[in-house]
Amino acid sequence: MRSVNERPDWWRPIWLCLAGEQPLPNILPVMAYRPEKVIFLYTDYKPSEQAARRGGKFLKEKYDIKTISKRTDAFDTKIVTEDVMRLSMEHGLGNVLLNWTGGTKPMSLAALQALPDMVPTLYFDSRRGVLI
């Protein structure tokens, strides 16, 4: 991954991350590219909520990155779409990047459909350690 001082064209100050039970696919890219703020969208599944809360705490303490966590539905794509759109509009579409690596498959699909070509997106391939 690049140095934090080298910001690629797709970099945005606010990252919307879908939280699943594995926190690293959201945390590692944030550590490398250091957005100003991370919004974790988690579900009522306890490991998803824990990953969002622990990830947020870690990023605040170690990197001084502002974080917030918001709950959404794991499987209702309409609710996820509404939540993603609302959060993105609140922060300005031009400021937002979507990391769709985590969360459930319906969450990822809904998030991508909510913001087609409106914001940069990334997916972290943790097996190879690369952004797609």
Side-chain angles (χ1 to χ4, degrees):
M1 289 188 194
R2 293 181 181 183
S3 159
V4 70
N5 296 323
E6 298 176 43
R7 291 187 172 155
D9 292 341
W10 51 261
W11 185 90
R12 298 295 183 272
I14 300 168
W15 287 23
L16 178 57
C17 298
L18 307 180
E21 54 187 291
Q22 300 299 323
L24 287 182
N26 283 321
I27 301 300
L28 292 176
V30 169
M31 288 170 53
Y33 292 101
R34 311 269 174 92
E36 296 167 12
K37 184 179 199 177
V38 175
I39 303 167
F40 289 102
L41 206 53
Y42 69 93
T43 70
D44 63 349
Y45 182 53
K46 194 68 170 170
S48 170
E49 181 179 2
Q50 289 173 337
R53 302 253 183 245
R54 288 180 183 154
K57 182 178 179 187
F58 173 78
L59 293 172
K60 282 180 197 173
E61 290 175 358
K62 298 289 184 187
Y63 297 96
D64 197 30
I65 295 173
K66 297 174 189 167
T67 63
I68 59 173
S69 297
K70 298 285 185 176
R71 185 172 168 175
T72 193
D73 193 279
F75 300 102
D76 188 327
T77 56
K78 182 179 180 199
I79 292 172
V80 175
T81 298
E82 290 170 357
D83 289 343
V84 167
M85 279 301 299
R86 180 180 40 77
L87 289 166
S88 298
M89 297 299 276
E90 284 175 6
H91 293 87
L93 286 173
N95 296 319
V96 175
L97 174 138
L98 172 66
N99 178 352
W100 58 281
T101 310
T104 63
K105 287 180 177 74
M107 285 174 70
S108 294
L109 287 170
L112 287 169
Q113 289 177 342
L115 303 169
D117 303 320
M118 289 188 219
V119 302
T121 64
L122 69 83
Y123 184 91
F124 182 68
D125 179 345
S126 56
R127 288 185 302 154
R128 295 185 297 160
V130 297
L131 297 176
I132 298 174

